[in-house]
Amino acid sequence: MRPLVLALLVSSLLAAAPALARDRDDCSGSFDIGSGVEQPARWAPRHDSRLARLVITSRDGKVDLLLMPTSVAFQLSDRKMNHIERELRDQENEDEDNPLGDAIKTAVFAGVRVLLKHSADCPVRELRDVDYRDGELVFVTRDGERLFEHLEVSDHDLVAAFPEREARAFVREFRRLKATYR
């Protein structure tokens, strides 16, 4: 395995280790590792995008925003997940020079897969509204606080990552769904 890739994977796993240990079994807790996931949002298991009312994909194709029947969720797109999975399989097939290297690589890849199979999720009932303003989606909680405003992937704010037409369609569909909650 290339040393830089291994170092990045290990550092990612170590940064999330306390949260994974705390929430490993049911993912029901909330944690923030500088990821922009704050209450009432939480880390949750990845959603099957085929079950969503609406899915929009970021301009770069890396992230999907899903409107599920009871929640909204940001997660890596299916296309990006497949790409990463192929890269991980290729890296796993590279032989290490020693058994310790193989053991570390196996542990790191298992941890990375666990991290990737999650979404930043917020129940619809916890959101007052979603709007599209100044080129970004604005998620407002029942308490009037903004949510997901610091959620980033590759140093890009996710709330500004979606094409306007798709973002406005998401807002319309969210409001239709939210109307059924009243």
Side-chain angles (χ1 to χ4, degrees):
M1 170 181 270
R2 290 172 239 150
L4 177 60
V5 173
L6 179 58
L8 289 172
L9 293 174
V10 168
S11 66
S12 296
L13 184 58
L14 291 176
L20 286 174
R22 185 172 67 245
D23 298 318
R24 169 186 47 202
D25 295 329
D26 66 357
C27 301
S28 62
S30 176
F31 61 91
D32 184 2
I33 55 173
S35 63
V37 178
E38 302 164 352
Q39 288 284 6
R42 65 188 176 96
W43 286 111
R46 184 176 171 78
H47 293 279
D48 182 343
S49 59
R50 295 171 298 183
L51 302 176
R53 289 177 60 117
L54 181 67
V55 177
I56 62 173
T57 302
S58 61
R59 287 180 197 90
D60 63 8
K62 293 179 181 178
V63 177
D64 284 342
L65 173 57
L66 292 78
L67 180 59
M68 302 302 294
T70 60
S71 67
V72 297
F74 287 91
Q75 64 188 30
L76 290 178
S77 68
D78 292 341
R79 186 180 78 174
K80 186 65 176 174
M81 280 294 292
N82 291 336
H83 174 78
I84 291 170
E85 189 61 41
R86 279 191 308 276
E87 284 187 2
L88 288 174
R89 273 195 308 273
D90 291 346
Q91 292 290 324
E92 281 178 322
N93 292 333
E94 289 183 10
D95 288 332
E96 290 297 322
D97 294 338
N98 61 63
L100 179 59
D102 281 334
I104 291 171
K105 183 169 65 171
T106 299
V108 168
F109 284 150
V112 168
R113 283 187 173 100
V114 167
L115 286 172
L116 294 176
K117 292 182 180 179
H118 283 79
S119 63
D121 186 278
C122 183
V124 169
R125 71 179 179 281
E126 296 292 337
L127 293 169
R128 179 185 300 164
D129 195 20
V130 177
D131 198 5
Y132 184 77
R133 288 185 245 143
D134 300 323
E136 65 181 33
L137 286 161
V138 177
F139 295 83
V140 180
T141 66
R142 290 186 309 177
D143 298 333
E145 300 292 321
R146 286 184 68 170
L147 187 65
F148 297 130
E149 66 182 329
H150 301 292
L151 191 62
E152 296 180 347
V153 169
S154 303
D155 294 327
H156 297 291
D157 288 331
L158 286 184
V159 292
F162 300 92
E164 180 176 357
R165 192 173 119 234
E166 286 83 2
R168 289 189 185 283
F170 186 89
V171 169
R172 283 189 304 275
E173 191 62 22
F174 173 85
R175 289 177 178 166
R176 278 189 206 107
L177 176 61
K178 187 70 176 176
T180 67
Y181 278 70
R182 296 183 181 135

